[in-house]
Amino acid sequence: MSRHTPGVLHRRLPGVSAHPGEPSDGPLTVEELQLAARNHSMPLEGLRQDTTPPGLHYLLNHFDIPFIDADHWHLRVSGAVQRSLELNLRALRRAPSISVPVTLECAGNGRSLLRPRPVSQPWVLEAVGTATWAGVPLAYLLEQAGVNENAVEVVFTGADEGLQGGVRQQYARSLPVAEALRRDIVLAYRMNGADLPPQHGYPLRLVVPGWYGMASVKWLSAIKVVTKPFEGYQQAVAYRYQQNADDAGAPVTRIRVRSLMLPPGVPDFFTRRRVLAAGPVMLTGRAWSGRAAVARVDVGIDGKWAPAHLEHPAGPFAWCAWSMPWVADPGEHELTCRAADASGAVQPLATVWNYQGMGNNVVQRIRVTVE
Amino acid sequence: MSRHTPGVLHRRLPGVSAHPGEPSDGPLTVEELQLAARNHSMPLEGLRQDTTPPGLHYLLNHFDIPFIDADHWHLRVSGAVQRSLELNLRALRRAPSISVPVTLECAGNGRSLLRPRPVSQPWVLEAVGTATWAGVPLAYLLEQAGVNENAVEVVFTGADEGLQGGVRQQYARSLPVAEALRRDIVLAYRMNGADLPPQHGYPLRLVVPGWYGMASVKWLSAIKVVTKPFEGYQQAVAYRYQQNADDAGAPVTRIRVRSLMLPPGVPDFFTRRRVLAAGPVMLTGRAWSGRAAVARVDVGIDGKWAPAHLEHPAGPFAWCAWSMPWVADPGEHELTCRAADASGAVQPLATVWNYQGMGNNVVQRIRVTVE
């Protein structure tokens, strides 16, 4: 038995130097572990379900979850508009509503597979989830407010607050006006038929179908129409496709095409390696893209590809189910799936590196032992 | 831009050798990261709430989450009993019911703070949650079945299946007969007033108030009364206080006393370091013990201790809220909290190591910058 001094949580793990944003060839840091413990992905067996329950849906919150008293909350719509608005939850519930099934994915999904590894939330492959979001169409509120002709963007600010990159901030993101006026963007107060859970933005969040999750601002407190491009941290610094620290980069926007397979058989607790019995098995999974409809999914068994059967998704921005029968013969196998969308985009077979570890939609590979 | 060959998920991180159960002085392994992404802890801001919503309550599932069709599910009670029983969910809902607020904590909570680090689920400090569980008292069903006089234990088997330590198994745990006949153990079909979510054991789980979470078997499919001690993997191999691999060790049972503090101020996204304004601030948190009532919580500010105010818990096995006012002066500070229970047990100031990393109830330390 050994005793150690306390405070180890604040010490780095052996040999580890952590600078957020600076890629590392070294091992995982305690800061990454803390983030992995806070923010969770969707266990892959969640792929069984059309709709992901709140507790299985992936979650990435930059700062603390605010617990908001809806009785003392309101949403303010202001800036370059004809009429500023202030609405409480009751008023929002009386407004016209829409309900949209949406697959959301974190822009950093797949980050931990990159080499060198961008040091931030260390997602593996499962930072995804699909829910039905119901609430007021953003376009309706913007029309009520009357967007001025010189407006260029709409800025969404959440109640969550903290520091990132040395900058004190409330989480905030913008959309171009034309994008904000889409008919399918939701100011959501319901998730899968219930009030939003605190961790998903209660009482109100933005949901931007087709965009990576960073656009869907939670705990929404303010909407401001602006006449110059928004330069907030989460817009101008974070969420960019950069090649190095000095590269201004391109903004991360829509979700790149991806597919995931429900790992067949049963797992080993620690390695998550799969074991299954020889014989026929139906391989299944989901595929999605924020840019165009999913056009095809191919399944690779030990490098031999065959097309999967695709089902219709619940909506244009919800994942679609796919399936392919396989007769598993004894031995070690590698299973892969690869989706393409109607824009011609296809998942890469090898990782494509970028400085922040954004949009890594490399194919998933599952090793199975067939007995 | 660099390209890498796929399959990196299956490679170890640089310099890392992972053997589950064998403690490591090395950095975190990709297997630990995979587990951290699957199983999530409760973000510490969950300490604000008496009751933890399902998606914030900690979750440790050894194998895949089974998605069970309750219409084709039943619970079987058999073994050393007068009458075997078979009950579907409707029959269970017609039986007498109780509702119990329970704080559950993973036995491995705090594992990643130990040196050398037992290599398994790499919990930091937040593998905890409190929910109200409602369902049939286990004692009622056992009385209906009639436990034979020669019975020694009751074995609970879940529908979740996989490998651990090379052993194919369904997750199963036992309780001594006398413990199983306690009046407050629940066969729960409701969590916080709703059906159990899939990840918490739908349609039915055992909840053993006061014991670490491994006793509260999810997706319960069978209860068997036995006349010899159960030797299943999760009882005889896992969840034991061992000093080395050859030590048979002592079984992990009840939750050791622990307190946690809601970190004041706001976080830095990456480091989770806290920043707050100078002036009065109310420090708050929760404390619990599965062995006796919480007797006191002391709060340490830069090593000076003072007692916190304790509130009554919602039940004998639910956490209690504590608070202590602090006038924060500018500079760097270390905040600590330390609970003691009525049995005389008190949280250790330094980690006490064991081979599996079980029951580490070392005090939490929070660094804050006051501006």
Side-chain angles (χ1 to χ4, degrees):
Chain A
M1 190 171 78
S2 65
R3 286 174 176 271
H4 299 269
T5 52
V8 287
L9 179 55
H10 304 291
R11 291 208 314 263
R12 301 267 158 71
L13 290 168
V16 174
S17 166
H19 300 282
E22 188 179 298
S24 166
D25 276 317
L28 286 164
T29 66
V30 73
E31 290 87 353
E32 289 169 287
L33 175 62
Q34 289 181 144
L35 285 171
R38 274 187 68 75
N39 295 309
H40 65 84
S41 54
M42 183 194 75
L44 288 176
E45 55 269 36
L47 292 168
R48 287 190 189 278
Q49 304 197 307
D50 286 332
T51 300
T52 315
L56 290 183
H57 194 291
Y58 97 91
L59 203 60
L60 186 287
N61 292 324
H62 287 239
F63 309 122
D64 287 3
I65 298 167
F67 290 87
I68 292 174
D69 176 0
D71 290 340
H72 297 91
W73 170 94
H74 63 255
L75 173 69
R76 186 170 163 78
V77 184
S78 66
V81 292
Q82 301 293 310
R83 298 161 288 281
S84 291
L85 307 174
E86 217 170 87
L87 301 103
N88 61 20
L89 192 54
R90 195 173 312 161
L92 286 163
R93 285 191 176 129
R94 277 196 305 259
S97 69
I98 52 172
S99 180
V100 188
V102 180
T103 296
L104 286 178
E105 180 179 5
C106 186
N109 198 16
R111 178 182 288 126
S112 74
L113 305 183
L114 297 172
R115 296 291 177 275
R117 185 183 77 259
V119 174
S120 182
Q121 175 75 33
W123 293 125
V124 187
L125 275 178
E126 309 101 323
V128 65
T130 298
T132 299
W133 302 94
V136 183
L138 171 63
Y140 170 82
L141 269 205
L142 291 177
E143 282 156 16
Q144 295 289 305
V147 174
N148 290 347
E149 283 198 1
N150 60 340
V152 296
E153 288 187 357
V154 183
V155 180
F156 305 89
T157 303
D160 48 330
E161 186 179 356
L163 288 100
Q164 192 171 346
V167 179
R168 176 91 177 226
Q169 57 191 280
Q170 281 179 267
Y171 187 88
R173 289 273 313 178
S174 71
L175 289 173
V177 165
E179 191 75 20
L181 290 173
R182 281 169 52 188
R183 313 309 297 181
D184 58 356
I185 295 181
V186 196
L187 297 168
Y189 49 73
R190 304 275 286 174
M191 179 186 189
N192 300 343
D195 285 348
L196 299 188
Q199 69 271 28
H200 283 288
Y202 180 87
L204 192 77
R205 75 175 293 180
L206 184 69
V207 175
V208 184
W211 285 51
Y212 281 114
M214 77 283 156
S216 294
V217 176
K218 304 187 190 86
W219 311 290
L220 200 60
S221 60
I223 298 176
K224 189 170 183 183
V225 179
V226 294
T227 55
K228 286 180 186 169
F230 177 58
E231 296 289 338
Y233 184 90
Q234 305 295 342
Q235 197 81 24
V237 180
Y239 294 112
R240 301 190 77 87
Y241 292 110
Q242 294 174 285
Q243 288 312 309
N244 57 63
D246 302 322
D247 176 11
V252 172
T253 58
R254 286 174 175 263
I255 297 173
R256 291 175 169 174
V257 63
R258 186 195 285 283
S259 57
L260 287 174
M261 185 187 298
L262 180 66
V266 301
D268 177 79
F269 166 65
F270 182 68
T271 63
R272 308 314 291 182
R273 278 290 289 253
R274 314 294 304 190
V275 175
L276 69 157
V281 55
M282 186 64 78
L283 301 177
T284 64
R286 307 273 172 173
W288 62 94
S289 167
R291 303 182 177 205
V294 171
R296 62 182 293 148
V297 172
D298 292 292
V299 174
I301 313 274
D302 301 322
K304 284 182 201 157
W305 297 88
H309 169 74
L310 286 188
E311 289 174 32
H312 285 290
F317 296 106
W319 57 23
C320 62
W322 60 259
S323 57
M324 202 190 75
W326 175 42
V327 181
D329 56 313
E332 303 292 314
H333 299 283
E334 185 189 68
L335 312 179
T336 320
C337 55
R338 188 185 199 196
D341 70 23
S343 80
V346 59
Q347 288 185 259
L349 293 172
T351 55
V352 182
W353 190 87
N354 63 79
Y355 188 77
Q356 293 186 14
M358 294 289 164
N360 174 20
N361 62 335
V362 68
V363 298
Q364 170 197 25
R365 292 169 191 270
I366 299 172
R367 301 252 180 110
V368 300
T369 301
V370 178
E371 295 180 331
Chain B
M1 190 172 78
S2 66
R3 288 174 173 270
H4 297 271
T5 53
V8 288
L9 178 56
H10 304 290
R11 292 210 312 265
R12 301 267 158 74
L13 290 168
V16 174
S17 166
H19 299 284
E22 188 178 298
S24 167
D25 276 318
L28 286 166
T29 66
V30 73
E31 290 88 352
E32 289 170 288
L33 175 61
Q34 289 181 145
L35 286 171
R38 275 189 68 75
N39 296 309
H40 65 85
S41 54
M42 183 194 74
L44 287 176
E45 55 269 36
L47 293 168
R48 287 190 190 279
Q49 304 196 306
D50 287 332
T51 300
T52 315
L56 289 183
H57 194 289
Y58 97 91
L59 202 61
L60 187 288
N61 293 324
H62 287 239
F63 309 123
D64 287 4
I65 298 166
F67 289 87
I68 292 175
D69 176 0
D71 291 340
H72 297 92
W73 170 93
H74 63 256
L75 173 70
R76 186 171 164 79
V77 184
S78 66
V81 293
Q82 302 292 308
R83 297 160 288 281
S84 291
L85 306 174
E86 217 170 87
L87 301 102
N88 60 19
L89 192 55
R90 198 173 311 161
L92 287 163
R93 285 190 176 131
R94 276 196 305 258
S97 69
I98 52 172
S99 180
V100 188
V102 180
T103 296
L104 286 179
E105 181 180 5
C106 187
N109 198 16
R111 178 180 289 128
S112 74
L113 305 183
L114 297 172
R115 297 289 179 274
R117 184 183 79 258
V119 174
S120 181
Q121 176 74 33
W123 293 124
V124 187
L125 275 178
E126 309 100 323
V128 66
T130 297
T132 299
W133 302 93
V136 183
L138 172 63
Y140 170 82
L141 268 204
L142 291 177
E143 281 156 17
Q144 294 289 307
V147 174
N148 289 348
E149 284 197 359
N150 61 342
V152 297
E153 288 187 358
V154 183
V155 180
F156 304 88
T157 302
D160 47 331
E161 187 179 357
L163 287 101
Q164 192 172 346
V167 180
R168 176 91 177 222
Q169 59 191 279
Q170 282 178 268
Y171 186 88
R173 289 272 314 177
S174 70
L175 290 173
V177 165
E179 191 76 20
L181 289 173
R182 281 169 54 189
R183 312 309 296 179
D184 58 356
I185 295 180
V186 196
L187 297 168
Y189 48 74
R190 305 275 285 175
M191 179 186 190
N192 299 344
D195 286 348
L196 299 188
Q199 68 271 28
H200 283 288
Y202 180 86
L204 192 77
R205 72 176 294 179
L206 184 68
V207 175
V208 184
W211 286 50
Y212 280 115
M214 76 284 156
S216 294
V217 177
K218 302 187 192 87
W219 312 288
L220 199 61
S221 60
I223 297 176
K224 190 170 183 182
V225 180
V226 295
T227 56
K228 288 180 184 168
F230 177 58
E231 296 288 340
Y233 184 90
Q234 304 296 342
Q235 198 81 23
V237 180
Y239 294 111
R240 300 190 77 88
Y241 292 110
Q242 295 173 285
Q243 288 312 309
N244 56 61
D246 302 324
D247 175 12
V252 172
T253 58
R254 284 173 177 264
I255 298 173
R256 291 174 169 174
V257 63
R258 185 195 284 284
S259 57
L260 286 174
M261 184 187 298
L262 180 65
V266 301
D268 177 79
F269 165 66
F270 182 68
T271 63
R272 310 312 292 181
R273 278 291 287 255
R274 314 293 303 189
V275 175
L276 69 157
V281 56
M282 186 63 80
L283 300 177
T284 65
R286 306 274 173 172
W288 62 94
S289 166
R291 303 180 177 207
V294 172
R296 62 181 293 148
V297 173
D298 291 293
V299 175
I301 313 272
D302 301 324
K304 285 182 200 158
W305 297 89
H309 169 74
L310 285 189
E311 289 174 32
H312 285 291
F317 296 107
W319 57 23
C320 63
W322 59 259
S323 57
M324 201 189 76
W326 175 43
V327 181
D329 57 315
E332 302 292 313
H333 300 284
E334 185 189 69
L335 311 180
T336 319
C337 55
R338 188 184 199 196
D341 70 23
S343 79
V346 59
Q347 288 184 259
L349 292 173
T351 56
V352 182
W353 189 89
N354 64 77
Y355 187 76
Q356 293 186 14
M358 293 290 164
N360 173 20
N361 63 335
V362 69
V363 299
Q364 170 198 24
R365 290 168 194 272
I366 300 173
R367 303 250 180 110
V368 299
T369 301
V370 177
E371 296 181 328

